[in-house]
Amino acid sequence: MASRTLLHCLLCTIATLGFARANENDIGLSFAREPPKLVIGYKGKPLVLACAPGGSHPEGSVSVSWMVNGEPVVLSDRVSVQPTGSLSFKEIKHDPPQHSDEGNYQCKLTSSDGLFLLSEISSVRVAADENDIGLSFAREPPKLVIGYKGKPLVLACAPGGSHPEGSVSVSWLVNGEPVVLSDRVFIHTTGSLSFREIEHDPPQHSDEGNYQCKLRSSDGLSLLSKTSSVRVAVFAASFTQSPKNLSVEIGDTVRLSCHIEAVPTPNIFWRRDNKTLPNHESRYSVLRSGVLLIDAVRESDAGVYHCITNNKKVRIASEGAYLEVVPASQRFRPARMLSEPETVDIKVLANETLSLECEASGYPVPLLRWSSLSGSKEESLEKQSRLGSNVLAIPNSMERDSDVYTCEATNVDSENNKHHALIRYNVSVQVPPIIKRKSKSVIRIVGTPINFKCDMVGVPTPKISWYKNGTLVDTNERVVQDGWHLIIRNSLIDDAGIYQCRGWNDAGEAWAAFRLVEEPGVKDVAIDPPTDLKCGFVTTSSIDFSWNASAKNILAYSLYYYETARLFPINEVTVTAKSRIVEELKPSTNYSFFLIGFTIGGASNISEIVTCRTAGGRSSIVPQVTLVQATSPTSVTVFWKKLKSQETLNKVIGQKVIYRVAGSHEFKEKNTPTDVNNATITGLTSGDLYEVCVISGTKHGWPLADGGTFNCQSVMMPEVIDTTQATLEIKIVQVLKSAIKFRWARTKKNRIEPSSYNISAWRNGTVIFGPHNVGPLVTNYSIKDIDLREPLTIQVRALNVDGDSGEFGSFEFKPSLVHAESVSDLEAVAMSSNSVKLTWEGRYGGLFRVSYKLLGSDDIIQINSSEHSIFITDLKPYSTYKFSVQSYYSNLNIGASNQTVQCQTLEAVPEPPSELNFTQSDSSSGKFAWSAPSESNGQIRAYLVYYTSAESADQPLEQWLQAPTNQTWLQVSGLLPTSYVATVNASTSAGYGRAADFFKFQMLSVDSSLADEPTSLSSLRHDRLLLAISCSAVFVFLLLGVVIAYRLAKASRLRNHNIPHTNGNGLHHHHSEGIDMMVLSSSSNIPPAQTDHLDTKGWYPTPQATGVHSNGRIPNGTSTPMLKHVHITENPRFLPRGDGKSACPSCPGPGCNSRGCPSCQVEPLLAADVTQVTVLAED
């Protein structure tokens, strides 16, 4: 029965594609609508196969019936033929082997005179569920798991659905590699991964990593779980940041901070005088970062403060910090933020609480207000105004909460002048990827295009990876990743499987899966695809395309074509001939073509893809690349067929070899004469895949490099060392007549040390030596009595107690290299502005002499080397050198040097320009001019002129006025009649160089009669000489007065033994009889380089602290290596002594008098510590 059905189907196919089609005009029958080639139905859902007769026929003269697998369709209430001729299923059934609606359907037209016409076959395939991919998870491991060293841990995983026992296996990956199983680490029968005890001894070994569960079915399908990040809990022995001693006035605001390295992030709580802080005090608040804030400080707040945290085993307390509260001086102090830097970048995950802190000191207590750059939250932020401290909390943050938030502190002095201080937070709310639209599982006939969609959103924009059966998809010309889509231009049998897209960003990841099912019945068919695809005559809107059949009995062809640059849509034309004129095309556009042939046995694989270009103003055809061959790890040679005059619509006036790394959008190019057909490209990167093309240009221009529009060939550059697999590097040490000595080294350290090495030699796939095992400490070996006249392969494999460790090395030995009389494949690559790397091939175990010289120079430098590569340094930037390499023989004679290579070093930053001058044009403008740098070190791309008033010359250069130009002069305007300082620097592709020496000039207030007299500047020097002498004399008298006043102030201060108090801003108060002296310490602006303590408010006063912080300040549990380089202002009131104790030992701590301890002796401040002295008489 089955054979009869198959035979009937084949006969119907032949009749359909052959006789019936050839004579459809003769019998007067045609189709207005035919069913599609492939239809996917879903079990329990309705389905309609369209069909309708064409032409004009008397009513009832043409009847419609349906065939399935060569037999008439059995009609019923569930399956019926509509009046239009379409076949309708009320619901699809699929219960094989008893019954299924799957099959090959054909619509049959029959005329009243007995003639019939069959439609093309429509293959109906049934899917149980459009989202069913054959594998699923009943349980997946969680996103984050915290394990404890020495304790057990289980990562849950279990396959879902109903499967026969043993048909689904479970394995695990860590960081993309299979988990090494042992007695300690094993997989439960349920599929979960179990650790008897967690190990964590970095960097040697740690169980930390990103884990994935992998399901594999017996039919080869695989599915990956979401990533589970395993972190091992750690807890530092002490706080890396502890609170510091502090002195504040009553009513002020206090900020104390501490930090400890820990995973997971610990909770921080505070104690005062070894007692828990009062719960009823709303003035106390502890932020998520561990910072303690105290608003409106009272005298009762004085005491010793500790921050404390604990885990399951230990409780850790920080060093104590003594908070002294002194009476308010009621003297004005401008608003000042207690936390630095001024601008902070914050990233917070969506749906988490965003907390922004803002604290300020001053008298009167500053008012703190929040605002946002967008202005969208002004109404709600206005309600956030507070005195002293103000924490802005946004619960369940969303993407729309990303903004720039500013906290402004303001207070007013006695003259009603407002004083401001700001802190800004650049907030980015990060949203994990969300898949908005994805493809469904599909069934496709081999050779048809497929477009898997995985559209997603997230902040930042997610990256995407594609997996097939648990392995990363290798993209190429046929399989292309285009944005969120994976496009298979023409599917092959082996493309069937489960596909997964993974989108990820800093906030998380998202996965989606779909299945590609191959068309049944094609898997065992081996039909050669069409060959010799050619582009013939082209016009601006058509291409004459032809091909040859490589298989017998081809009944028909499906010709597919699409715009090369767009990939989709793909057009399909069915033809029975071996050529086709494709029309309605765009002018000057590249089109890609491929074919599939059909026989009685099924469909062929796809043909090669050929690109043709329609005619237009630019070159209408490109030369055919015949060969792209890698000649070294960094160079290729390209061969192509030269264009004939009859092949071009316009005269070709030039050729270019263009090339790029596969997947990039930018081509590099190399011009070639029109009479050559090959070229060599150097300076490529080993291990990269390159696309190489040849294009021709006419008087109208070159074809547009719009990405993928040329007839390119791909070439994979060889790896110098295959570090992805061969983790043992093998080098030849010595070669004799019948013996070879070599050594090896491990380039990647495995977690398990090898117990032995296995050595073997191969020739033409046959072992000619070994395998032979040596001990784990052996790193070299000699193979003797071996024929070295033919090539052979040496392999070394590392073994451990369980067998193969996965580490191996392989070396291809070629005797031609041993006995070569000269080097070959000499390659030079510029590595920097002063270095070049040379590589070559030559005899092993010998020496090489490298010679090089600067082009145009007679000075030759020679270097000896025993390797086949060398770095040459100390070269001149942007200069061309000529290199050659010669080999030594055993008798120390130098071998021939028949190959040289030239290489230009990269550009460096230029030297400073010289002879900077300025010519005044009028009262507000003038012209700068200068000479080009003496050493340009490349092509000068631009100059940047800096200028500022002489009064501001001590500011950083970046804050001066700047003006770029690409000439050696610049006209500037808007100048004022004052003294200026200017400089200029030049740039190459390497960046801007050092600026020239500063140049000073004077802008004069001149009328129009002086506008053209730049030399009038010198004529005024004599008139100003007397004025300068007079000013100098006045300055000397003023200086003497300041010195006398300073000495009097210093003597008064040294007599005062009271302890200064400060709120952390560097302002100290000294009280003496009749005089209240305020001393502004230099530490308020410039932290001392030798200190590594935090300031009195616990924040970071140096610019190095500026950076991205998680949700406010540095959270506990976050590594903070930058703290090593942060210099923080020390509170001079509590300078620690060498023994770590307070400098005020007789003070009883909290009971100390608020005005200080009379018995304490404080060292007087040095004059160098004082930047400003103000003496005020008491009332």
Side-chain angles (χ1 to χ4, degrees):
M1 178 65 182
S3 60
R4 187 183 68 180
T5 301
L6 178 60
L7 177 61
H8 187 94
C9 181
L10 297 179
L11 292 174
C12 290
T13 304
I14 296 172
T16 300
L17 297 175
F19 177 80
R21 286 295 183 201
N23 296 280
E24 63 181 12
N25 294 326
D26 297 334
I27 64 175
L29 291 175
S30 62
F31 287 95
R33 296 180 66 189
E34 289 185 79
K37 287 183 178 180
L38 178 66
V39 178
I40 297 177
Y42 295 96
K43 186 176 178 180
K45 302 291 184 180
L47 179 69
V48 175
L49 299 179
C51 181
S56 178
H57 302 278
E59 185 176 353
S61 62
V62 178
S63 62
V64 180
S65 59
W66 282 83
M67 313 284 289
V68 55
N69 299 328
E71 300 289 338
V73 172
V74 178
L75 304 178
S76 62
D77 291 338
R78 186 180 65 85
V79 184
S80 61
V81 179
Q82 296 178 349
T84 59
S86 298
L87 184 64
S88 175
F89 299 81
K90 287 186 178 180
E91 63 177 17
I92 290 291
K93 285 189 175 181
H94 184 63
D95 300 297
Q98 289 79 12
H99 178 73
S100 174
D101 289 325
E102 276 190 341
N104 295 321
Y105 287 76
Q106 286 180 288
C107 182
K108 181 178 179 181
L109 304 181
T110 304
S111 65
S112 56
D113 52 4
L115 299 178
F116 71 90
L117 181 66
L118 289 172
S119 71
E120 292 187 355
I121 293 175
S122 177
S123 180
V124 174
R125 295 293 174 261
V126 178
D129 187 335
E130 58 191 5
N131 293 315
D132 182 20
I133 60 174
L135 286 174
S136 62
F137 288 96
R139 295 180 67 189
E140 288 185 81
K143 178 181 177 181
L144 177 64
V145 177
I146 303 295
Y148 292 87
K149 184 176 179 180
K151 299 294 184 181
L153 179 69
V154 176
L155 298 180
C157 180
S162 177
H163 301 277
E165 185 175 354
S167 62
V168 177
S169 62
V170 179
S171 60
W172 282 82
L173 304 176
V174 55
N175 300 327
E177 299 292 334
V179 172
V180 179
L181 301 179
S182 62
D183 290 338
R184 186 181 65 85
V185 183
F186 59 93
I187 298 176
H188 281 284
T189 54
T190 60
S192 298
L193 183 65
S194 179
F195 299 80
R196 296 189 189 275
E197 61 179 20
I198 289 292
E199 290 185 358
H200 185 63
D201 298 296
Q204 288 79 13
H205 176 70
S206 174
D207 288 325
E208 279 190 338
N210 295 319
Y211 287 76
Q212 286 179 283
C213 182
K214 183 177 181 179
L215 305 181
R216 182 175 178 82
S217 64
S218 56
D219 56 357
L221 299 177
S222 293
L223 183 69
L224 287 174
S225 72
K226 296 177 181 178
T227 304
S228 177
S229 179
V230 173
R231 300 284 303 278
V232 178
V234 294
F235 208 77
S238 61
F239 280 82
T240 55
Q241 174 186 330
S242 295
K244 301 301 177 184
N245 297 328
L246 192 62
S247 177
V248 297
E249 294 183 1
I250 292 176
D252 216 329
T253 304
V254 169
R255 181 182 188 273
L256 297 172
S257 63
C258 63
H259 176 74
I260 189 170
E261 304 286 349
V263 173
T265 302
N267 292 322
I268 301 291
F269 59 96
W270 290 78
R271 296 176 70 87
R272 184 187 68 206
D273 297 335
N274 208 26
K275 296 179 182 179
T276 304
L277 297 181
N279 294 326
H280 63 277
E281 279 284 0
S282 60
R283 297 181 301 108
Y284 289 78
S285 57
V286 180
L287 306 183
R288 294 180 61 187
S289 59
V291 170
L292 171 65
L293 299 181
I294 307 176
D295 287 331
V297 173
R298 302 171 183 171
E299 195 167 357
S300 59
D301 294 329
V304 178
Y305 286 78
H306 295 84
C307 58
I308 298 172
T309 186
N310 63 310
N311 62 9
K312 295 181 179 180
K313 295 183 178 180
V314 297
R315 181 172 181 266
I316 300 176
S318 71
E319 297 177 2
Y322 180 63
L323 174 64
E324 182 190 32
V325 181
V326 299
S329 64
Q330 298 186 351
R331 296 190 182 278
F332 175 75
R333 288 180 286 118
R336 176 184 178 274
M337 289 295 174
L338 300 184
S339 54
E340 295 183 12
E342 185 177 340
T343 302
V344 182
D345 295 325
I346 291 182
K347 295 178 181 178
V348 60
L349 291 180
N351 299 318
E352 288 188 353
T353 298
L354 170 64
S355 295
L356 306 178
E357 61 169 295
C358 179
E359 314 89 22
S361 66
Y363 185 86
V365 177
L367 178 65
L368 305 178
R369 293 187 178 92
W370 285 98
S371 63
S372 64
L373 181 64
S374 65
S376 59
K377 307 175 182 65
E378 291 304 314
E379 183 175 345
S380 60
L381 294 179
E382 281 294 331
K383 302 176 183 179
Q384 295 285 336
S385 299
R386 289 189 60 190
L387 294 172
S389 70
N390 193 346
V391 177
L392 176 62
I394 302 178
N396 301 317
S397 58
M398 305 176 67
E399 183 181 354
R400 64 170 178 261
D401 294 321
S402 295
D403 209 336
V404 178
Y405 296 86
T406 301
C407 180
E408 182 180 27
T410 306
N411 62 359
V412 182
D413 61 18
S414 59
E415 297 179 359
N416 208 28
N417 296 317
K418 291 185 177 181
H419 297 261
H420 306 275
L422 299 175
I423 185 169
R424 292 185 178 88
Y425 292 92
N426 298 323
V427 174
S428 172
V429 179
Q430 298 190 324
V431 182
I434 301 173
I435 297 176
K436 306 294 288 186
R437 184 178 62 170
K438 73 178 187 69
S439 295
K440 300 175 182 178
S441 298
V442 294
I443 301 175
R444 284 288 186 269
I445 295 176
V446 171
T448 56
I450 298 166
N451 182 9
F452 283 125
K453 304 180 184 68
C454 193
D455 299 342
M456 62 183 67
V457 295
V459 180
T461 301
K463 299 178 181 178
I464 189 170
S465 297
W466 289 88
Y467 297 80
K468 177 198 167 190
N469 289 332
T471 304
L472 272 172
V473 172
D474 289 327
T475 56
N476 48 48
E477 186 176 83
R478 186 180 68 87
V479 181
V480 180
Q481 181 176 322
D482 183 19
W484 306 119
H485 295 200
L486 181 69
I487 299 168
I488 304 177
R489 292 181 175 176
N490 32 28
S491 60
L492 303 176
I493 293 171
D494 293 334
D495 289 328
I498 293 178
Y499 286 79
Q500 290 178 273
C501 63
R502 174 187 177 244
W504 81 96
N505 60 16
D506 294 340
E509 63 176 10
W511 291 76
F514 6 75
R515 183 176 176 182
L516 171 61
V517 181
E518 63 184 77
E519 171 63 7
V522 180
K523 188 170 185 178
D524 299 326
V525 177
I527 303 173
D528 293 330
T531 60
D532 299 328
L533 281 67
K534 296 179 181 178
C535 303
F537 182 75
V538 298
T539 68
T540 56
S541 61
S542 67
I543 295 175
D544 187 355
F545 196 75
S546 63
W547 60 91
N548 288 327
S550 59
K552 297 181 180 179
N553 302 321
I554 296 290
L555 301 176
Y557 301 92
S558 284
L559 172 63
Y560 298 90
Y561 63 95
Y562 55 91
E563 289 185 37
T564 309
R566 299 183 58 187
L567 302 179
F568 272 83
I570 296 181
N571 305 285
E572 178 184 0
V573 179
T574 301
V575 292
T576 56
K578 298 178 184 178
S579 65
R580 175 79 180 205
I581 297 177
V582 182
E583 299 178 314
E584 298 182 1
L585 305 179
K586 297 178 182 179
S588 298
T589 304
N590 283 21
Y591 286 86
S592 293
F593 295 82
F594 63 90
L595 286 149
I596 298 174
F598 294 91
T599 68
I600 296 176
S604 73
N605 280 329
I606 65 161
S607 69
E608 64 173 328
I609 299 177
V610 173
T611 301
C612 310
R613 188 176 180 88
T614 52
R618 298 176 184 268
S619 176
S620 61
I621 192 169
V622 295
Q624 180 183 354
V625 178
T626 58
L627 178 64
V628 180
Q629 184 175 14
T631 55
S632 79
T634 58
S635 62
V636 296
T637 299
V638 189
F639 296 88
W640 64 89
K641 288 183 179 179
K642 290 193 296 184
L643 294 176
K644 299 178 181 180
S645 57
Q646 58 268 28
E647 294 179 298
T648 61
L649 301 180
N650 298 289
K651 182 180 178 181
V652 175
I653 60 174
Q655 297 182 124
K656 289 182 181 178
V657 179
I658 60 174
Y659 57 97
R660 66 179 178 184
V661 175
S664 72
H665 298 286
E666 183 178 355
F667 279 100
K668 296 181 180 180
E669 59 185 43
K670 179 177 181 178
N671 291 305
T672 64
T674 57
D675 58 346
V676 302
N677 69 337
N678 66 85
T680 299
I681 305 171
T682 60
L684 306 181
T685 303
S686 65
D688 280 355
L689 178 66
Y690 281 86
E691 296 175 347
V692 184
C693 333
V694 179
I695 59 175
S696 57
T698 68
K699 63 180 180 180
H700 299 289
W702 299 88
L704 296 175
D706 48 2
T709 60
F710 304 127
N711 184 14
C712 300
Q713 282 199 17
S714 299
V715 58
M716 176 64 74
M717 303 305 296
E719 290 274 9
V720 179
I721 298 175
D722 186 5
T723 58
T724 61
Q725 294 183 357
T727 54
L728 295 178
E729 181 182 29
I730 301 177
K731 288 188 177 182
I732 302 299
V733 177
Q734 187 178 26
V735 178
L736 301 176
K737 185 175 181 179
S738 59
I740 183 170
K741 183 178 181 180
F742 51 91
R743 67 174 183 266
W744 61 88
R746 302 174 72 198
T747 58
K748 288 199 302 185
K749 294 294 184 182
N750 199 307
R751 289 194 296 262
I752 302 175
E753 293 293 330
S755 59
S756 63
Y757 291 99
N758 180 275
I759 301 169
S760 60
W762 299 69
R763 179 175 287 142
N764 298 325
T766 303
V767 178
I768 61 174
F769 174 82
H772 180 73
N773 287 353
V774 297
L777 301 180
V778 177
T779 58
N780 63 81
Y781 192 80
S782 296
I783 300 177
K784 300 177 181 179
D785 300 325
I786 189 170
D787 186 2
L788 298 178
R789 292 174 295 178
E790 297 293 333
L792 59 86
T793 301
I794 298 172
Q795 286 190 356
V796 179
R797 188 175 295 274
L799 305 177
N800 55 40
V801 292
D802 298 321
D804 191 348
S805 71
E807 295 185 69
F808 73 95
S810 180
F811 183 84
E812 299 292 333
F813 173 79
K814 297 179 181 180
S816 59
L817 298 180
V818 179
H819 306 293
E821 295 184 355
S822 62
V823 299
S824 61
D825 296 331
L826 179 61
E827 181 77 20
V829 179
M831 306 303 292
S832 68
S833 60
N834 60 4
S835 65
V836 168
K837 181 181 180 181
L838 284 181
T839 58
W840 62 88
E841 293 292 346
R843 63 188 299 270
Y844 290 88
L847 294 174
F848 299 93
R849 173 167 293 177
V850 179
S851 303
Y852 65 96
K853 68 172 185 175
L854 181 65
L855 213 61
S857 172
D858 296 329
D859 297 334
I860 299 177
I861 301 175
Q862 294 183 333
I863 304 174
N864 292 335
S865 173
S866 60
E867 304 292 338
H868 289 75
S869 64
I870 189 172
F871 275 94
I872 299 177
T873 58
D874 298 329
L875 304 179
K876 293 184 62 176
Y878 200 58
S879 301
T880 302
Y881 286 82
K882 184 177 182 180
F883 302 90
S884 64
V885 180
Q886 300 163 288
S887 62
Y888 279 109
Y889 290 114
S890 57
N891 58 2
L892 299 182
N893 291 328
I894 298 177
S897 176
N898 60 355
Q899 188 177 14
T900 61
V901 66
Q902 293 184 5
C903 183
Q904 185 183 58
T905 53
L906 303 181
E907 294 187 359
V909 297
E911 292 296 313
S914 59
E915 301 178 6
L916 178 62
N917 62 81
F918 178 80
T919 303
Q920 183 170 346
S921 302
D922 53 38
S923 59
S924 62
S925 66
K927 178 180 179 181
F928 289 108
W930 57 87
S931 298
S934 57
E935 295 291 341
S936 62
N937 296 334
Q939 294 183 355
I940 299 297
R941 297 193 172 191
Y943 293 93
L944 190 59
V945 177
Y946 302 82
Y947 60 98
T948 187
S949 63
E951 297 176 352
S952 304
D954 57 345
Q955 294 181 348
L957 202 61
E958 292 76 13
Q959 298 181 15
W960 292 21
L961 296 173
Q962 302 175 22
T965 179
N966 55 6
Q967 305 178 60
T968 57
W969 59 272
L970 178 68
Q971 186 75 26
V972 295
S973 58
L975 301 178
L976 301 174
T978 185
S979 296
Y980 282 88
V981 179
T983 185
V984 63
N985 59 2
S987 73
T988 63
S989 61
Y992 277 94
R994 185 164 49 87
D997 293 338
F998 289 173
F999 168 75
K1000 296 183 179 180
F1001 64 94
Q1002 174 73 40
M1003 281 296 295
L1004 301 179
S1005 199
V1006 298
D1007 55 26
S1008 58
S1009 62
L1010 297 177
D1012 297 325
E1013 298 182 13
T1015 58
S1016 61
L1017 294 175
S1018 59
S1019 65
L1020 298 177
R1021 293 175 180 173
H1022 179 73
D1023 297 336
R1024 297 183 176 226
L1025 181 59
L1026 293 177
L1027 179 61
I1029 294 173
S1030 301
C1031 291
S1032 298
V1034 173
F1035 176 76
V1036 170
F1037 284 110
L1038 290 176
L1039 182 60
L1040 290 174
V1042 170
V1043 171
I1044 294 172
Y1046 170 75
R1047 291 183 177 276
L1048 292 175
K1050 180 178 178 181
S1052 175
R1053 178 169 57 84
L1054 292 177
R1055 290 191 299 268
N1056 186 7
H1057 295 289
N1058 288 336
I1059 300 175
H1061 59 81
T1062 175
N1063 64 354
N1065 299 325
L1067 187 64
H1068 311 290
H1069 294 272
H1070 292 264
H1071 301 274
S1072 62
E1073 296 180 4
I1075 295 180
D1076 185 359
M1077 179 182 295
M1078 295 196 304
V1079 181
L1080 183 61
S1081 170
S1082 61
S1083 62
S1084 64
N1085 295 314
I1086 306 175
Q1090 70 272 18
T1091 181
D1092 55 3
H1093 298 293
L1094 292 174
D1095 72 352
T1096 56
K1097 299 303 178 184
W1099 189 234
Y1100 313 94
T1102 63
Q1104 293 92 325
T1106 304
V1108 177
H1109 304 292
S1110 174
N1111 198 12
R1113 305 297 172 238
I1114 300 176
N1116 286 289
T1118 303
S1119 177
T1120 55
M1122 60 184 172
L1123 291 179
K1124 299 178 181 179
H1125 308 291
V1126 176
H1127 302 301
I1128 309 297
T1129 304
E1130 177 64 274
N1131 190 326
R1133 179 161 182 78
F1134 295 98
L1135 294 175
R1137 299 203 290 194
D1139 55 4
K1141 299 180 180 180
S1142 171
C1144 187
S1146 59
C1147 284
C1152 187
N1153 186 280
S1154 61
R1155 296 293 292 178
C1157 303
S1159 60
C1160 292
Q1161 298 300 319
V1162 179
E1163 294 180 5
L1165 296 173
L1166 299 178
D1169 296 328
V1170 181
T1171 57
Q1172 178 178 336
V1173 177
T1174 305
V1175 180
L1176 301 175
E1178 287 191 352
D1179 296 335

